[in-house]
Amino acid sequence: MTDVDKEVRVRFAPSPTGYFHVGGARTALYNWLFARQHGGKLILRIEDTDTERSDSSWTEGILKALEWLHIDIDEGPYFQSQRKDLYLAAAEKLFLSGHAYACDCTRDDIENRKKEDSKPGYDNYCRERGLVPGEGRALRFRVPDTGVTIVNDLVRGEVEFANVSIEDFVLVKSNGDPLFVLAVVVDDQDMDITHIIRAEEHLPTTPKALLLWKALSNKRLPVFAHLPVLVNEKRQKLSKRRDRVAVEDYREMGILPEAMFNYLTVLGWAPKDGSEIFQPEKALAEFDLGQVNHSPAFFDEKRLLFFNGQYIRSLADEDFMARGVPYLGKAYPGLGNEEIMRVFMPLASVTKERVATLAECVDLLSFLFDDPFSPDQDDYQKLVKESDFAGELIKDFLDRFKKALYQDDENSFPDSEKGVDIESIKAILVECADALGIKLAKAQAPIRVSVLGKRAGLPLFEALEVLGPKKVMARLENALADLAKNAK
Ligand code: GLU
């Protein structure tokens, strides 16, 4: 465990410039775990200084996603766009103390002065010119020419940067806008942040942040933890152009928040006993920022689906159904929830066993709701081609089914009010299979494709029972008529 002797205050500081990325969610989660473990505070800071790319709808998305993941925030959100005065006051302080200087070089000026052998970055041209800040002038930080800046990182250990390799970076642009690096340090000091847990991509700017931090105050330095980058199966950094990265997309496809929470937790860390699927309590008890791996973490969608399947199967049937209903409601907007639930409930437990996401419920249960109904054409054509017995079997099944339904003596099958129960349906198909001399499994295919629409899906007899005799018979009649047409 990481030693902490001061109230822990961590921040999650997303930039609202796009869909909320799974990498951002992992950062938020690790901050949350750390704060909760130490009885500390988690602050949310929206870094919206880039006015062209920031949008309040992205902020909304971040807030919703955090809530969905049960990552609760103690303070904030604070918005950097509302704190500009603070950054400019800090900039002035840095100028007055000599840590910063005004610079009127344009990008072209800098480029034109560059010789082939000059080092990259700014050439310190204005360092000693004694310009006063004003319009058209940027403010640059005076980076020491000698010495090193050491980042003390819980994940990476000590990372040393030679000051000479750091250019005199811009704090305030020539148009008067403070830059990100300044805003972050001012805020981290102002908000008393003790631990900065963030993505690895920020490590290169961390020495700048430390130099600034020391120039601005003698507050105790924060402890850093730079989290490993997330990569795809080709070991490429996850990118929104290439990979599915938006938390919202996963939510839409029916990933459960608890599965996402769990999966994000193991992207860079694992409990000592090597378990992967566990409740948040275990993460809270055992998570150790100091044990976070620094090599890239593979965001494996297949693994997430596996986690999700496990979580789905652990839900009570009612809970599973309640979570699946909105997906069906979206696919069939004409149906009311009650109508959906009436047929979903008896199939909830068998559906639960067969889906990896909630959205897959739609595919598995579509036979109940599709109106008009038509079987999957590929599966249907295969059926026509492969089975010379399909017509015969369907006809036989239909006859026996009707008989079962309408027979009325005391040994009868249930009447048409009640439908035909699972055992009876199975018994009928066994009889049909026997009559044709084929196995039961083989006899199922024509009925399944004709009535449920696909070769694979829910257990046939349960599905037929819930669908009800009217629809079963109508679909079988249609299939028969169709097969007869095809045979001509
Ligand atoms: N706003 C930055 C981002 O979204 C995070 C900066 C930080 O955590 O210091 O990547």
Side-chain angles (χ1 to χ4, degrees):
M1 280 275 160
T2 322
D3 285 332
V4 176
D5 59 3
K6 195 177 160 195
E7 189 200 33
V8 163
R9 288 177 61 83
V10 293
R11 82 307 195 267
F12 174 53
S15 305
T17 54
Y19 282 109
F20 188 42
H21 191 290
V22 285
R26 199 267 316 261
T27 301
L29 176 58
Y30 280 17
N31 272 288
W32 181 86
L33 283 170
F34 190 74
R36 294 292 165 265
Q37 278 187 323
H38 293 95
K41 295 272 189 305
L42 171 60
I43 290 125
L44 177 62
R45 186 168 79 219
I46 304 295
E47 305 208 320
D48 55 351
T49 45
D50 183 344
T51 43
E52 267 167 36
R53 293 173 61 222
S54 300
D55 193 280
S56 60
S57 66
W58 300 129
T59 302
E60 277 302 306
I62 294 168
L63 295 175
K64 262 205 226 148
L66 292 176
E67 195 185 332
W68 180 68
L69 285 166
H70 293 279
I71 296 177
D72 56 319
I73 301 295
D74 303 302
E75 270 181 40
Y78 297 109
F79 292 86
Q80 285 194 327
S81 57
Q82 295 167 8
R83 299 168 58 83
K84 192 172 167 184
D85 291 351
L86 274 177
Y87 312 141
L88 293 180
E92 190 180 353
K93 186 171 158 190
L94 289 166
F95 175 74
L96 293 176
S97 63
H99 286 102
Y101 61 89
C103 164
D104 62 0
C105 299
T106 63
R107 197 173 298 221
D108 284 347
D109 294 338
I110 300 170
E111 281 310 308
N112 291 339
R113 284 200 300 268
K114 274 218 152 93
K115 297 188 204 85
E116 268 179 22
D117 59 346
S118 58
K119 58 177 200 155
Y122 183 60
D123 61 359
N124 300 348
Y125 181 80
C126 291
R127 239 192 198 195
E128 310 306 337
R129 285 177 68 209
L131 298 176
V132 289
E135 248 193 67
R137 290 181 178 169
L139 196 73
R140 285 184 181 272
F141 188 80
R142 194 186 298 274
V143 177
D145 292 325
T146 56
V148 291
T149 298
I150 294 171
V151 178
N152 214 329
D153 194 284
L154 282 177
V155 177
R156 272 143 227 283
E158 280 189 3
V159 191
E160 201 177 286
F161 295 84
N163 290 338
V164 68
S165 68
I166 307 169
E167 70 170 337
D168 281 3
F169 51 96
V170 175
L171 300 169
V172 181
K173 288 200 278 191
S174 57
N175 66 2
D177 281 346
L179 271 177
F180 181 68
V181 60
L182 174 66
V184 168
V185 173
V186 170
D187 281 344
D188 285 338
Q189 288 198 351
D190 189 55
M191 295 172 188
D192 281 326
I193 300 302
T194 56
H195 296 75
I196 296 182
I197 304 166
R198 62 181 176 186
E200 181 181 349
E201 66 192 19
H202 298 293
L203 185 59
T205 59
T206 305
K208 296 180 186 171
L210 281 175
L211 289 167
L212 254 178
W213 185 289
K214 289 185 217 160
L216 276 169
S217 84
N218 52 14
K219 267 197 171 178
R220 192 160 89 172
L221 293 177
V223 177
F224 286 90
H226 285 96
L227 306 177
V229 66
L230 301 187
V231 294
N232 66 16
E233 71 281 3
K234 293 185 184 137
R235 314 301 288 171
Q236 297 160 319
K237 190 175 168 200
L238 282 195
S239 113
K240 62 180 169 196
R241 262 163 245 102
R242 217 175 16 222
D243 310 295
R244 196 195 323 254
V245 297
V247 174
E248 186 57 33
D249 287 348
Y250 287 103
R251 182 181 180 168
E252 242 168 53
M253 68 191 251
I255 297 292
L256 304 183
E258 49 270 61
M260 185 56 116
F261 182 103
N262 188 160
Y263 187 60
L264 291 173
T265 310
V266 298
L267 289 177
W269 174 79
K272 286 223 162 62
D273 63 9
S275 57
E276 277 202 306
I277 298 195
F278 45 77
Q279 297 302 308
E281 290 72 28
K282 185 175 171 78
L284 279 168
E286 297 182 27
F287 179 72
D288 187 349
L289 201 47
Q291 292 299 317
V292 168
N293 199 329
H294 57 75
S295 44
F298 174 25
F299 184 86
D300 183 354
E301 202 172 299
K302 288 199 198 84
R303 196 86 195 126
L304 171 62
L305 290 177
F306 170 76
F307 273 53
N308 205 48
Q310 300 291 313
Y311 273 90
I312 283 181
R313 280 177 264 305
S314 72
L315 297 176
D317 291 350
E318 288 77 11
D319 190 7
F320 167 65
M321 182 188 65
R323 298 194 201 209
V325 164
Y327 291 82
L328 287 153
K330 202 168 160 204
Y332 298 96
L335 296 179
N337 283 357
E338 288 202 354
E339 206 175 340
I340 295 173
M341 286 192 297
R342 189 177 51 78
V343 281
F344 193 157
M345 194 58 221
L347 292 171
S349 85
V350 288
T351 307
K352 201 172 81 173
E353 296 304 318
R354 287 167 177 76
V355 293
T357 68
L358 294 172
E360 287 174 17
C361 293
V362 176
D363 198 41
L364 274 185
L365 297 171
S366 59
F367 72 94
L368 292 168
F369 306 111
D370 277 348
D371 186 14
F373 168 85
S374 64
D376 177 275
Q377 276 314 301
D378 285 351
D379 283 357
Y380 190 73
Q381 290 311 326
K382 263 187 223 144
L383 176 72
V384 174
K385 268 195 222 135
E386 280 170 17
S387 76
D388 44 5
F389 63 86
E392 208 178 325
L393 179 115
I394 293 173
K395 180 156 181 356
D396 192 21
F397 181 84
L398 189 57
D399 288 346
R400 291 176 198 262
F401 188 83
K402 280 184 186 164
K403 210 163 135 211
L405 196 62
Y406 298 125
Q407 225 171 36
D408 218 359
D409 64 44
E410 53 188 28
N411 299 317
S412 75
F413 289 103
D415 61 25
S416 58
E417 283 288 292
K418 289 197 211 130
V420 183
D421 67 61
I422 298 175
E423 286 311 315
S424 311
I425 299 171
K426 185 171 173 191
I428 295 171
L429 196 63
V430 168
E431 284 170 23
C432 299
D434 286 350
L436 276 169
I438 55 173
K439 292 223 163 77
L440 179 64
K442 202 167 174 201
Q444 288 201 22
I447 309 293
R448 176 183 283 288
V449 175
S450 311
V451 184
L452 307 186
K454 290 182 213 66
R455 281 170 101 94
L458 296 183
L460 179 64
F461 306 122
E462 274 96 329
L464 294 187
E465 185 192 46
V466 175
L467 185 63
K470 262 200 207 144
K471 285 188 177 164
V472 171
M473 287 190 297
R475 290 179 191 183
L476 289 173
E477 307 269 11
N478 281 345
L480 266 185
D482 214 62
L483 285 170
K485 241 195 285 164
N486 273 310
K488 271 185 205 150

